Amino acid sequence: MRNRRRRIRRRRGCAPRVFVLFAILLTLGFGVYAMVANNDEDYINEEAEDYYIPDEYTQAYEEDALIPSLPLTPISTHQIIDTGYLALVNHNHPAPAEPDPALIAQAWPTVAVSRIDDMFLHQSALRAVSEMFTSARELDAGAFFVSSGFRDFYRQAYLYGDGGNSDYIMPPGFSEHHTGLAADILVVGIGMHELADTTEGRWMAANSYRYGLILRYPEGTQHITGIAFEPWHLRYVGRIHAYYMMQNNFVLEEYIDYIHNRGYFSFEKNGYTHYIFHQVPEGGMIYVPEGLDFVASSDNKGGYIIWTTLS
């Protein structure tokens, strides 16, 4: 997929001093916007106000352009706040560097856990799990608890051991648990391998996407994921991505390949149009929506996946 440079309309007659002052203010303002506006998917939701795009900012594209009618602007990757929500971690793609410690939160007492003192999750994952647990309690769908969350390299090495249980446990450095976005979730009184055949396990599999969580290793996908069926292992990816994956029966590997192969796609949900597209940095720059909030995540394969929405 080729990036397209925006066609910028030049205006004549601006006084040099005004132009220089405008350029300085624009640069400072956009830098702050880029660092703040895409920090978390909460900035984009289905209650967002209507966006008006003036004609002078509407980008002209050729027929095979990246995203027709969606204005883009170049930005340095250093200005992107990478959520990591869609970072692919598997046998072929080691986990990125451990997340910022400021983003890792103690799970207890926000959610029920198997161990109080050493259970941690990425804040976004913790919020999603908490919302799911709250819904489960209100619906009497089960007494869920987190049995495993963030793991460092040494904890993973201990669990992996000699690799005798590698169908279920990834080698150190290659586990989603290193990101803090993965959680093993069980139900009081139900064994982990029995979970799938219970009402509680079926409820979680069918409803976790509503909170931005996906069943990371579904049954029958080991040839794709490299891991046997784990009805207890959820991964946070964000609500919109989880929704689309659920609707199309994608595992994360398939979803990322789908975005790579398509370049971009859009879909309607509750009166909003969601745009999702892939970018590979060129010269340290990528293109992002101009004047719109967006969420960016590295795919851990050298590119970024961008999401924005329009009413």
Side-chain angles (χ1 to χ4, degrees):
M1 179 189 63
R2 300 190 303 274
N3 290 322
R4 301 287 180 181
R5 291 188 177 277
R6 299 177 59 249
R7 298 176 182 173
I8 303 175
R9 296 183 179 180
R10 300 185 181 276
R11 295 183 176 230
R12 301 175 184 267
C14 292
R17 292 181 181 177
V18 175
F19 178 82
V20 172
L21 179 59
F22 176 78
I24 292 173
L25 292 175
L26 180 62
T27 300
L28 291 174
F30 184 75
V32 173
Y33 163 79
M35 294 179 65
V36 175
N38 61 85
N39 187 33
D40 193 279
E41 72 167 308
D42 286 344
Y43 285 97
I44 307 177
N45 56 60
E46 294 184 355
E47 303 297 327
E49 61 184 62
D50 292 348
Y51 291 103
Y52 169 67
I53 305 174
D55 290 341
E56 62 181 322
Y57 291 108
T58 300
Q59 184 172 356
Y61 284 94
E62 297 175 11
E63 289 185 358
D64 62 344
L66 176 63
I67 307 178
S69 75
L70 183 66
L72 301 180
T73 190
I75 183 176
S76 167
T77 54
H78 294 298
Q79 294 178 282
I80 293 291
I81 295 179
D82 178 9
T83 65
Y85 295 160
L86 295 175
L88 181 64
V89 180
N90 57 24
H91 286 97
N92 298 317
H93 298 88
E98 288 189 1
D100 183 347
L103 296 176
I104 300 299
Q106 189 164 6
W108 173 264
T110 303
V111 296
V113 297
S114 58
R115 302 181 310 277
I116 292 177
D117 294 333
D118 62 348
M119 191 71 68
F120 298 87
L121 285 171
H122 189 289
Q123 291 176 358
S124 296
L126 179 58
R127 181 173 61 247
V129 170
S130 176
E131 291 172 354
M132 187 179 74
F133 283 12
T134 298
S135 294
R137 286 195 300 271
E138 292 173 349
L139 298 171
D140 197 23
F144 293 94
F145 67 93
V146 177
S147 68
S148 188
F150 170 75
R151 300 177 195 155
D152 61 20
F153 181 93
Y154 301 101
R155 174 66 177 170
Q156 190 68 24
Y158 171 78
L159 294 173
Y160 186 73
D162 61 2
N165 199 23
S166 59
D167 281 348
Y168 294 100
I169 301 178
M170 298 290 280
F174 293 82
S175 172
E176 285 198 327
H177 286 282
H178 294 324
T179 68
L181 294 167
D184 291 345
I185 296 177
L186 298 177
V187 179
V188 174
I190 298 175
M192 59 195 313
H193 290 284
E194 289 73 47
L195 182 62
D197 296 323
T198 65
T199 300
E200 294 88 344
R202 287 189 289 270
W203 181 88
M204 185 170 72
N207 291 279
S208 58
Y209 79 93
R210 301 179 187 276
Y211 313 95
L213 300 159
I214 59 168
L215 186 61
R216 180 64 178 92
Y217 307 119
E219 189 170 15
T221 64
Q222 185 171 1
H223 64 290
I224 302 172
T225 65
I227 289 290
F229 177 37
E230 292 190 357
W232 59 83
H233 183 107
L234 299 186
R235 159 73 184 267
Y236 182 79
V237 295
R239 283 186 175 86
I240 291 300
H241 297 297
Y243 168 82
Y244 197 84
M245 292 173 69
M246 183 72 173
Q247 293 297 312
N248 292 276
N249 200 31
F250 285 147
V251 294
L252 187 57
E253 285 83 355
E254 293 173 313
Y255 184 56
I256 291 176
D257 284 346
Y258 177 79
I259 300 172
H260 285 195
N261 294 334
R262 291 281 301 267
Y264 91 94
F265 66 95
S266 62
F267 64 95
E268 300 280 335
K269 184 176 185 293
N270 296 343
Y272 293 84
T273 301
H274 300 277
Y275 294 88
I276 297 171
F277 61 99
H278 179 244
Q279 287 275 281
V280 176
E282 292 185 2
M285 306 290 288
I286 63 172
Y287 283 81
V288 299
E290 182 175 37
L292 301 177
D293 291 344
F294 63 91
V295 176
S297 172
S298 65
D299 56 17
N300 205 26
K301 298 176 71 174
Y304 288 87
I305 294 170
I306 313 295
W307 163 53
T308 192
T309 187
L310 285 171
S311 58

